[in-house]
């Protein structure tokens, strides 16, 4: 029936040949374009290939989160098990504990750690002596560039039970030594504190840049009005950098699942897993150490999806905020 | 022989046509200026000539060679950009020599060529400096040096003086003109400044909305503009325009406005009671009576002294009229002037609906 | 806020505020410095003194014993050299891939530019995770190899986007003028854009160097051969043994050095190169902040 209709209606056949000619036109354009611009594509190729091979190809392997993966069978031959791993994970106390620890540590980091760079920036801004300012800044930025291993090493050494300086000082004041790093109740404090020490200096750069963007005539008119420096700091500087603060805060919240796990791996022990084990370290132990690849991949997928949603939300909100701000 | 021919040149961005079929012939050694307000398509036209924009329709040829599909570097042209595009990490000499190095010209040849060009442009003492250490005018000259060095058939200039202050612009204008005289290379120059156009061009191409309004020598455009757009674009201050009604009598044609009546050139197309636009240049309005000039009563609102000249502002039918007079060193009585004189042959009449000038028989 | 550097015009309250502020900043600065001083002092102290808990600020019973042990350990030098290989090899690989890639992505004539950029940017929001990445490296045969470490971590989206934005900000006339002079894409990149982008490239290079120098996790996971580990992994091995007091203590302890002094010595040795390039890093990221779009 169809064929006869096509035969009797002359226009209908033309559409498919027209589609063909549009296609050939596009192909012709593409060929000409490549002949002219091949160098650009040659420059692009290594980058794209790298991303595909090292970042996108693993996404293909991510499917083992839904499979009963066996190294011998490989990815394709391993059977599907659907959401089984996720059920197992959420029934696993350790995983739940890891989620809880991640949020707790991140939250503590946020509450205690977020204001420090801001305060530091404000304080730096009040330093009048340029040499002092520069020296202090140089010193304070330094920890950011030191490796997690070394920072952890310093912490471990400093908090060591009998020889570490912290305990030595405690002893000097008459207190007993505490073996800090095996006590779960101390882990969060030490970890967050270390994080602040390492990153507050470098983190103040963004805020310093915002502070230096404040219009000097605002201060000048305040001086004429008789304001003290302290008043100027919280009535002028702080409000002016509020948009920057908000945006950094939003970004920070978006990254809440990132907890600097290299440092945790260095600092934690089985004795402190209770408070120290976070999602990433859980994955590390289950996956890379215990070779339970499929379950660890599932945990990683969970982590990545939540992180993705958080970051997208954070970015959307931050774009709205920045549209109504000085930027 | 380095002629340039644009035949029905069109530029489209998607559904929007920006250049609507430009036809232009540039003679060998001619200095042609494309001038017009922002967005009129002059830069786009130039860039199509240069090969920096795809040509949507029509033909471009240099010396009768169609170059639509020829790569910019093979078109035998050189371009001076608005922001000069001088490489900040190279010295003046290296900047000028850039193209020669790419073409693998031997080193000693490069040296002599650069030295010659530097001499012509008076850049010799600056050859080792970086662009950052040069003044605006010097940078301009380096940009031109880079163009000259290629011995092109056509020079293209894309608003090269826009970034300079007024004084420097005047100076550089003269330099460009002298250079053109000296080198004799066909040049096409784009600007939005009609003063630059008037002073530099052998012929001016006035463009608007992607179309050519008029092509002619500076004086042709000044004295016989084809429409009100050209009339007001060329000349500073612009031509005074005012709407009027035509009165055709046996004694001649008159324009009626402001309750006053002015003798205008006898034009064939004029019919009685036609709506017209009456135009007269500030320079051509006189303050002394003369034979055949219509006397008009005015009240001068404002006198702007420019030194040897003064601008007088008055009102006609709610519109501002500007008169440019020579002061001969005295401005005291100008404010009290009450009469102006419009000479018949200084008046241009435009059709109100088409805005085209009505030509004298 | 340097509207008034002349403190003579200050009120008493303001002067007090300034001094208090300086004091607080000094405290913070000292507290940043102190741990480094502490560790350095440990490294120069006698093992016994450390064990006896005598070292808090300055070296006690100054000795070079710990350094002797470390510097004469071939494993240390092997690790040091490995770190250089990873750092230099990795940074060069990064630049070779990132610079042309960022340039290509910045060119309007690239077809599908939006999609290529999305391909790169998406990896900043989502990645497959630790396990799939590991299995992928295994699959590619890159476990336990120098190449694996060097290539596997050569790119990140952030640096590419940073450089791409910088290239995009260069006025089109630079490329157009070069093209009219006859340059092809590679020549335009090499002779015009890379020189123009020197500050951005310098920043990226230095951050690459620091990241490579400090990298330890994946080196630890991917490398089996002791001879291939970088300094940080080597250091980690020594430090974690610190936690297993008993086992390590018996192998190493003498009067001259203790595990604290030894690990401190290694730490000092690993920090020194970072300190050496630190002035350049600081200079460069002060410029880099402007490139990152943050207002100066």
């Amino acid at each position: 029936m169809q064929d006869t209709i096509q035969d009797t209606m002359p226009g209908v056949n033309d559409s498919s040949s027209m589609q063909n000619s549009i296609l050939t036109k596009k192909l012709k354009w593409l060929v000409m374009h490549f002949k002219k611009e091949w160098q650009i594509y040659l420059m692009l190729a290594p980058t794209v290939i790298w991303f595909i091979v090292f970042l996108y190809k693993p996404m293909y392997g991510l499917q083992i989160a839904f499979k009963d993966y066996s190294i011998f069978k490989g990815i394709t031959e391993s059977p599907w098990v659907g959401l089984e791993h996720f059920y197992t994970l959420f029934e696993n106390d350790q995983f739940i504990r890891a989620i809880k620890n991640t949020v707790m540590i991140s939250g503590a980091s946020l509450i205690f750690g977020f204001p420090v760079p801001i305060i530091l920036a404000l304080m730096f801004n009040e330093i009048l002596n340029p040499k002092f300012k520069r020296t202090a800044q140089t010193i304070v930025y330094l920890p950011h560039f030191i490796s997690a291993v070394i920072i952890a090493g310093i912490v471990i050494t400093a908090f060591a039970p009998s020889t570490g300086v912290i305990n030595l000082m405690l002893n000097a004041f008459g207190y007993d030594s505490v073996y800090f790093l095996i006590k779960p109740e101390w882990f969060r404090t030490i970890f967050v504190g270390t994080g602040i020490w390492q990153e507050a200096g470098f983190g103040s750069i963004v805020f310093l840049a915002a502070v230096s963007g404040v219009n000097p005539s605002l201060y000048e008119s305040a001086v004429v009005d008789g304001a003290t420096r302290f008043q100027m700091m919280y009535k002028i500087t702080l409000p002016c950098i509020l948009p920057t603060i908000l945006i950094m805060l939003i970004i920070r919240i978006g990254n809440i699942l990132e907890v600097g796990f290299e440092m945790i791996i260095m600092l934690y022990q089985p004795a402190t897993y209770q408070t120290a084990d976070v999602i990433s370290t859980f994955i590390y132990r289950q996956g890379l150490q215990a070779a339970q690849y499929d379950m660890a991949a599932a945990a990683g997928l969970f982590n990545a999806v939540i992180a993705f949603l958080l970051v997208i939300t954070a970015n959307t909100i931050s774009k709205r905020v920045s549209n109504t701000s000085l930027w | 022989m380095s002629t340039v021919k644009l035949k029905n040149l069109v530029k489209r961005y998607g559904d929007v046509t920006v250049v609507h079929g430009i036809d232009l012939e540039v003679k060998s050694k001619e200095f042609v200026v494309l001038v017009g307000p922002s967005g009129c398509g002059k830069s786009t036209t130039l860039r199509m000539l240069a090969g920096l924009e795809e040509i949507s329709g029509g033909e471009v040829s240099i010396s009768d060679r169609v170059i639509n599909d020829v790569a910019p570097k093979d078109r035998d042209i050189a371009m001076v950009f608005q922001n000069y595009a001088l490489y900040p990490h190279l010295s003046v000499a290296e900047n000028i020599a850039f193209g020669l190095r790419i073409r693998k010209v031997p080193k000693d040849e490069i040296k002599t060529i650069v030295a010659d060009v530097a001499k012509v442009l008076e850049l010799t003492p600056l050859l080792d400096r970086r662009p950052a250490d040069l003044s605006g005018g010097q940078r301009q000259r380096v940009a031109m040096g880079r163009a000259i060095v290629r011995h092109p058939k056509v020079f293209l200039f894309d608003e090269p003086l826009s970034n300079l202050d007024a004084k420097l612009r005047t100076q550089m204008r003269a330099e460009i003109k002298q250079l053109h005289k000296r080198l004799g290379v066909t040049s096409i120059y784009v600007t939005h400044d009609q003063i630059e156009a008037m002073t530099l061009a052998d012929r001016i191409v006035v463009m608007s909305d992607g179309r050519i309004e008029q092509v002619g020598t500076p004086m042709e455009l000044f004295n016989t503009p084809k429409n009100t757009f050209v009339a007001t674009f060329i000349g500073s201050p612009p031509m005074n325009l005012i709407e009027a009604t035509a009165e055709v009598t046996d004694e001649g044609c008159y324009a009626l406005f402001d309750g006053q009546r002015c003798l205008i050139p006898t034009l064939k197309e004029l019919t009685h009671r036609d709506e017209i636009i009456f135009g007269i240049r500030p320079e051509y309005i006189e303050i002394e009576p003369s034979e055949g000039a219509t006397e008009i009563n005015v009240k001068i609102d404002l006198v702007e002294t420019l030194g040897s000249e003064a601008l007088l502002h008055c009102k006609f039918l709610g519109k501002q009229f500007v008169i440019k007079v020579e002061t001969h060193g005295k401005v005291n009585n100008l404010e009290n002037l009450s009469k102006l004189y419009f000479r018949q042959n200084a008046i241009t009449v435009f059709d109100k609906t088409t805005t085209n000038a009505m030509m004298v028989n | 806020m340097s509207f008034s550097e002349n403190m003579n015009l200050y009120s008493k309250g303001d002067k007090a505020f300034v001094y208090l502020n300086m004091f607080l900043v000094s405290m913070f600065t000292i507290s940043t410095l102190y741990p480094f001083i502490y560790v350095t002092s440990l490294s120069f102290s006698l093992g016994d003194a450390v064990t006896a808990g005598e070292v808090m600020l300055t070296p006690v019973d100054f000795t070079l014993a710990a350094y002797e042990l470390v510097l004469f350990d071939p494993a240390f030098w092997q690790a040091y050299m490995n770190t250089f290989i990873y750092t230099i090899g990795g940074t060069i690989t990064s630049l070779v891939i990132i610079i042309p890639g960022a340039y290509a992505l910045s060119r309007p004539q690239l077809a599908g530019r939006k999609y290529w950029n999305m391909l790169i940017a998406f990896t900043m929001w989502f990645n497959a995770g630790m396990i799939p990445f590991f299995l992928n490296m295994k699959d590619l045969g890159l476990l336990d190899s120098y190449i694996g470490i060097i290539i596997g971590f050569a790119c990140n989206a952030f640096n590419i986007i940073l450089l791409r934005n910088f290239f995009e900000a260069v006025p089109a006339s630079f490329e157009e003028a070069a093209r009219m002079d006859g340059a092809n894409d590679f020549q335009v990149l090499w002779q015009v854009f890379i020189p123009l982008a020197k500050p951005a490239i310098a920043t990226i290079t230095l951050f690459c160097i620091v990241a490579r120098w400090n990298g330890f996790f994946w080196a630890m996971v991917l490398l089996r051969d002791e001879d291939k580990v970088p300094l940080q992994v080597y250091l980690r091995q020594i430090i974690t043994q610190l936690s297993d007091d008993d086992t390590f203590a018996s192998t190493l302890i003498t009067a001259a050095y203790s595990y604290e002094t030894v690990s401190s010595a290694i730490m000092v040795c690993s920090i020194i190169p970072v300190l050496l390039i630190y002035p350049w890093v600081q200079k460069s990221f002060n410029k880099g902040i402007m490139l990152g779009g943050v207002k100066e």
Side-chain angles (χ1 to χ4, degrees):
Chain A
M1 219 13 217
Q2 293 275 19
D3 294 0
T4 45
I5 291 182
Q6 281 197 354
D7 282 337
T8 50
M9 297 177 67
V12 180
N13 244 350
D14 293 344
S15 71
S16 60
S17 61
M18 201 158 65
Q19 281 180 343
N20 270 337
S21 71
I22 293 181
L23 201 64
T24 41
K25 228 189 192 173
K26 281 212 169 135
L27 275 171
K28 266 203 189 135
W29 178 89
L30 218 72
V31 170
M32 232 184 63
H33 178 80
F34 267 107
K35 266 200 175 143
K36 189 165 163 239
E37 303 285 355
W38 61 274
Q39 294 176 7
I40 295 276
Y41 292 95
L42 187 60
M43 290 186 194
L44 185 62
T47 309
V48 170
I49 294 175
W50 188 93
F51 272 78
I52 294 181
V53 167
F54 289 100
L55 291 180
Y56 280 94
K57 187 158 162 295
M59 289 189 201
Y60 169 77
L62 198 49
Q63 62 186 275
I64 65 173
F66 304 100
K67 287 192 166 190
D68 182 10
Y69 177 66
S70 143
I71 297 240
F72 307 106
K73 290 195 196 149
I75 297 183
T76 22
E77 296 302 317
S78 299
W80 293 99
V81 292
L83 296 173
E84 189 183 298
H85 293 311
F86 294 92
Y87 294 138
T88 322
L89 279 173
F90 282 98
E91 283 162 18
N92 184 341
D93 286 336
Q94 293 189 345
F95 185 65
I96 304 290
R97 180 188 71 185
I99 298 179
K100 172 167 162 268
N101 287 336
T102 309
V103 176
M104 298 277 282
I105 291 182
S106 220
S109 223
L110 185 68
I111 296 174
F112 296 103
F114 186 74
V116 179
I118 301 174
I119 298 174
L120 204 56
L122 291 173
M123 291 205 292
F124 270 124
N125 190 46
E126 300 290 330
I127 305 274
L128 297 176
N129 184 336
K131 265 202 212 132
F132 178 72
K133 187 170 169 183
R134 244 196 320 251
T135 321
Q137 285 179 315
T138 306
I139 294 177
V140 145
Y141 296 160
L142 185 59
H144 169 87
F145 294 97
I146 308 294
S147 79
V149 177
I150 294 180
I151 305 269
I154 296 178
V155 169
I156 293 175
T157 311
F159 283 86
S162 45
T163 57
V165 63
I166 304 284
N167 275 314
L168 294 180
M169 292 207 282
L170 280 179
N171 290 340
F173 285 110
Y175 292 100
D176 288 331
S177 296
V178 181
Y179 196 168
F180 289 97
L181 286 170
I182 59 167
K183 290 188 180 289
E185 61 267 26
W186 276 105
F187 183 83
R188 200 177 307 133
T189 314
I190 294 179
F191 179 78
V192 172
T194 308
I196 295 177
W197 177 80
Q198 189 183 14
E199 294 298 336
F202 191 78
S204 71
I205 291 182
V206 176
F207 299 108
L208 261 175
V211 162
S212 55
V214 177
N215 190 344
S217 34
L218 289 176
Y219 297 118
E220 286 162 359
S221 59
V223 168
V224 172
D225 283 336
T228 67
R229 288 194 72 114
F230 183 70
Q231 285 175 321
M232 286 193 270
M233 187 173 86
Y234 80 78
K235 281 211 156 120
I236 299 179
T237 319
L238 203 49
C240 280
I241 64 173
L242 202 55
T244 311
I245 294 180
L246 273 177
I247 291 174
M248 295 305 289
L249 182 62
I250 292 171
I251 294 177
R252 184 69 179 267
I253 294 182
N255 288 334
I256 213 164
L257 288 183
E258 277 179 38
V259 187
F261 83 102
E262 278 195 352
M263 186 73 77
I264 295 190
I265 288 186
M266 289 296 304
L267 291 176
Y268 81 169
Q269 344 212 336
T272 51
Y273 283 175
Q274 219 176 311
T275 50
D277 194 28
V278 292
I279 299 177
S280 323
T281 49
F282 175 84
I283 295 174
Y284 169 63
R285 281 200 325 281
Q286 294 290 77
L288 295 179
Q289 287 185 326
Q292 283 192 289
Y293 296 122
D294 40 19
M295 185 135 85
L301 179 58
F302 169 75
N303 200 24
V305 168
I306 304 280
F308 178 73
L309 292 172
L310 280 174
V311 167
I312 296 279
T313 317
N315 271 279
T316 329
I317 299 180
S318 122
K319 278 206 185 101
R320 290 246 192 88
V321 169
S322 65
N323 275 336
T324 59
S325 75
L326 297 174
W327 285 27
Chain B
M1 263 286 289
S2 33
T3 55
V4 178
K5 212 190 271 184
L6 305 179
K7 230 202 271 180
N8 200 24
L9 196 59
V10 177
K11 177 67 185 173
R12 253 174 261 119
Y13 290 112
D15 292 327
V16 183
T17 311
V18 205
V19 177
H20 298 267
I22 301 269
D23 289 297
L24 182 64
E25 279 192 43
V26 179
K27 307 190 199 75
S28 194
K29 296 194 200 232
E30 202 179 10
F31 197 114
V32 166
V33 175
L34 304 182
V35 73
S38 295
C40 68
K42 53 192 195 294
S43 277
T44 315
T45 306
L46 192 78
R47 288 167 65 87
M48 281 195 277
L49 229 186
L52 298 172
E53 296 274 356
E54 295 261 352
I55 297 175
S56 309
E59 227 175 55
V60 177
S61 25
I62 295 184
S63 297
D64 297 323
R65 169 180 164 234
V66 176
I67 54 167
N68 282 40
D69 296 317
V70 178
K73 61 180 168 83
D74 300 320
R75 290 190 184 195
D76 227 349
I77 52 176
M79 188 150 162
V80 178
F81 291 87
Q82 186 173 10
N83 60 7
Y84 317 141
L86 297 182
Y87 306 123
H89 58 287
L90 298 178
S91 70
V92 166
E94 287 165 343
N95 259 289
I96 297 179
F98 187 78
L100 302 174
R101 254 192 351 193
I102 301 270
R103 278 161 213 263
K104 307 237 167 76
V105 174
K107 276 212 184 122
D108 353 304
E109 237 189 278
I110 294 185
K111 240 183 153 183
T112 16
I113 296 178
V114 171
D116 288 336
V117 169
K119 215 164 87 179
V120 171
L121 293 167
E122 291 175 26
L123 289 173
T124 323
L126 302 171
L127 280 176
D128 290 322
R129 291 223 205 139
R130 293 279 161 95
D133 303 325
L134 300 177
S135 71
Q138 291 167 332
R139 282 186 214 165
Q140 239 282 10
R141 276 185 253 144
V142 177
M144 293 206 280
R146 199 166 64 188
I148 293 177
V149 128
R150 306 189 44 206
H151 290 299
K153 287 219 175 84
V154 184
F155 273 143
L156 303 177
F157 295 86
D158 191 0
E159 304 211 46
L161 305 184
S162 307
N163 292 341
L164 304 178
D165 64 68
K167 222 176 180 186
L168 203 49
R169 234 182 281 170
T170 326
Q171 187 190 331
M172 294 305 300
R173 249 175 24 214
E175 283 191 32
I176 292 180
K177 185 105 191 187
Q178 280 171 346
L179 208 62
H180 172 74
K181 246 183 166 169
R182 199 158 156 194
L183 298 174
V185 178
T186 313
S187 301
I188 301 182
Y189 186 105
V190 163
T191 179
H192 61 271
D193 183 339
Q194 54 98 28
I195 299 182
E196 268 173 49
M198 293 290 281
T199 53
L200 289 171
D202 292 330
R203 273 193 304 156
I204 301 179
V205 179
V206 178
M207 290 179 67
S208 151
D209 276 332
R211 294 190 171 80
I212 293 185
E213 296 287 340
Q214 189 173 356
V215 180
T217 66
M219 285 320 283
E220 278 172 11
L221 294 184
F222 190 77
N223 286 325
T224 45
K226 261 201 195 139
N227 54 40
T228 50
F229 179 83
V230 178
T232 47
F233 192 82
I234 301 285
S236 173
M239 184 188 276
N240 295 301
L241 296 178
I242 186 168
E243 292 172 6
T245 320
E247 195 185 286
V248 181
T249 68
D250 294 326
E251 299 120 37
C253 300
Y254 293 88
L256 292 171
F257 55 89
D258 192 26
Q260 308 195 57
R261 200 165 148 238
C262 179
L263 185 66
I264 58 178
T266 318
L267 299 163
K268 263 210 281 200
E269 309 115 68
L270 261 186
T271 15
H272 191 61
R273 295 226 209 255
D274 258 354
E275 296 289 317
I276 58 171
I277 297 181
F278 174 95
I280 185 166
R281 289 210 177 270
E283 297 87 345
Y284 293 158
I285 300 177
E286 292 165 14
I287 55 179
E288 303 280 317
S290 65
E291 181 78 40
T294 317
E295 186 181 282
I296 303 286
N297 295 313
V298 294
K299 180 177 168 303
I300 305 292
D301 294 327
L302 175 67
V303 177
E304 284 182 294
T305 330
L306 302 175
S308 63
E309 294 170 322
L311 296 180
L312 311 175
H313 297 259
C314 65
K315 273 219 188 69
F316 267 119
L317 279 181
K319 264 213 152 165
Q320 284 282 43
F321 250 53
V322 183
I323 304 103
K324 200 190 236 187
V325 294
E326 302 204 6
T327 60
H328 301 294
K330 292 186 283 201
V331 290
N332 317 29
N333 283 329
L334 291 174
E335 238 179 355
N336 301 327
L337 278 176
S338 56
K339 296 199 196 296
L340 297 175
Y341 298 89
F342 293 172
R343 262 218 261 148
Q344 188 191 28
N345 57 5
I347 296 169
T348 317
V349 180
F350 302 90
D351 180 300
K352 182 166 167 193
T353 19
T354 65
T355 73
N356 288 335
M358 296 190 178
M359 292 299 148
V360 189
N361 313 321
Chain C
M1 186 154 85
S2 49
F3 66 89
S4 171
E5 313 251 303
N6 186 358
M7 275 194 45
N8 295 330
L9 297 175
Y10 280 17
S11 68
K12 262 213 192 126
D14 269 355
K15 279 192 190 156
F17 175 71
V18 169
Y19 288 128
L20 176 65
N21 188 55
M22 269 179 70
F23 174 72
L24 289 174
V25 172
S26 307
M27 285 294 104
F28 190 85
T29 310
I30 291 175
S31 72
T32 304
L33 215 43
Y34 172 68
F36 295 108
I37 299 178
Y38 172 61
V39 161
T40 313
S41 299
L42 277 180
S43 67
F44 286 112
S45 300
L46 204 60
D48 271 350
V50 174
T51 323
E54 289 174 15
V55 184
M56 292 218 320
L57 180 60
T58 44
V60 174
D61 296 330
F62 188 92
T63 172
L64 293 174
Y67 285 97
E68 273 175 37
L69 183 68
V70 169
L71 296 176
F72 282 111
D73 181 2
F76 172 76
W77 291 107
Q78 182 66 42
Y80 219 93
M81 166 132 97
N82 290 336
T83 306
F84 267 101
I85 295 179
Y86 294 132
T87 303
I88 297 179
T91 305
I92 294 180
T93 312
S94 291
L95 291 175
V96 166
I97 298 183
I98 290 181
I99 295 180
Y103 176 72
L105 287 170
S106 68
R107 298 299 93 200
Q109 58 265 36
L110 185 75
R113 189 162 147 236
K114 197 167 75 154
Y115 300 105
W116 298 116
N117 277 308
M118 286 203 308
L119 186 83
I120 308 289
F122 180 69
T123 63
M124 287 207 296
W125 311 141
F126 183 85
N127 69 59
M130 212 188 288
I131 303 304
F133 185 84
F134 171 75
L135 291 175
N136 185 43
M137 294 295 270
K138 188 152 181 267
D139 198 34
L140 293 170
L142 290 177
L143 288 187
D144 206 20
S145 70
Y146 283 104
I147 301 274
I149 304 286
I150 289 179
I151 297 193
F153 304 93
C155 289
N156 65 19
F158 184 76
N159 282 338
I160 293 181
I161 293 180
L162 187 79
L163 196 55
R164 180 205 75 196
N165 287 345
F166 189 88
F167 283 144
E168 276 172 1
V170 174
S173 47
F174 278 95
E175 188 187 353
E176 288 168 353
R179 274 196 198 285
M180 296 198 69
D181 278 335
N184 62 33
D185 281 305
F186 285 105
Q187 287 169 317
V188 174
L189 173 63
W190 180 251
Q191 305 221 20
V192 180
F193 276 78
I194 290 185
L196 285 174
K198 263 212 199 112
I201 294 180
T203 307
I204 293 178
T205 308
L206 287 168
F207 275 85
C208 255
I209 291 179
V210 171
R212 287 284 186 176
W213 187 268
N214 291 340
F216 99 91
F217 178 71
W218 283 108
M220 176 178 78
V221 166
L222 295 175
L223 298 171
R224 298 287 127 186
D225 189 351
E226 290 288 316
D227 286 338
K228 296 201 179 100
V229 298
L231 205 50
Q232 305 300 334
V233 175
Y234 172 77
L235 179 57
R236 177 182 183 263
Q237 287 165 353
I238 307 269
I239 290 179
T240 45
Q241 283 161 356
L242 238 162
S243 317
D244 295 339
D245 270 2
D246 307 330
T247 40
F248 195 45
S250 52
T251 55
L252 206 52
I253 208 154
T254 73
Y257 46 71
S258 68
Y259 38 80
E260 290 96 351
T261 64
V262 171
S263 59
S264 299
I266 302 179
M267 281 190 241
V268 170
C269 290
S270 352
I271 294 189
I272 288 182
V274 176
L275 287 180
L276 287 177
I277 69 167
Y278 184 55
W280 279 276
V281 175
Q282 234 218 327
K283 225 193 281 176
S284 158
F285 75 68
N286 275 330
K287 283 195 205 140
I289 292 295
M290 289 187 259
L291 301 167
V294 184
K295 272 196 299 203
E296 217 309 290

